[in-house]
Amino acid sequence: KRVAKLDASSSGTAVAAATSFDGYAFASLLQSKWGAELDVDFRPVTSLQNTGIYVAVMPIPFGSRRCRHRTREEYLSHLQGVI
């Protein structure tokens, strides 16, 4: 998929306009920003008459016992699906 811009300003990492961004790049961004490949989830949120997206970055690094993904491929597939 194409993204206009994704900015991780605290780490100085940015994905420039019209670059390819996939599950691998997202895992890299998580690694550079938080020091681990963390799990993420997006949920639609509706409050009053506004809708939005809630992004949960869960403090569960890939490979830990609490991680819901059994393999790296499964983890990257999840990140690809999120994007």
Side-chain angles (χ1 to χ4, degrees), residues 33-65:
K33 184 157 178 79
W34 284 290
E37 293 179 339
L38 302 175
D39 201 0
V40 295
D41 220 1
F42 289 84
R43 295 186 185 140
V45 176
T46 305
S47 62
L48 300 175
Q49 294 178 352
N50 298 324
T51 44
I53 298 176
Y54 177 76
V55 180
V57 178
M58 296 171 269
I60 302 171
F62 171 73
S64 72
R65 288 181 39 195

Side-chain angles (χ1 to χ4, degrees), residues 14-36:
V15 177
T19 59
S20 181
F21 194 73
D22 59 7
Y24 289 101
F26 196 24
S28 251
L29 178 69
L30 292 169
Q31 175 73 35
S32 69
K33 184 157 178 79
W34 284 290

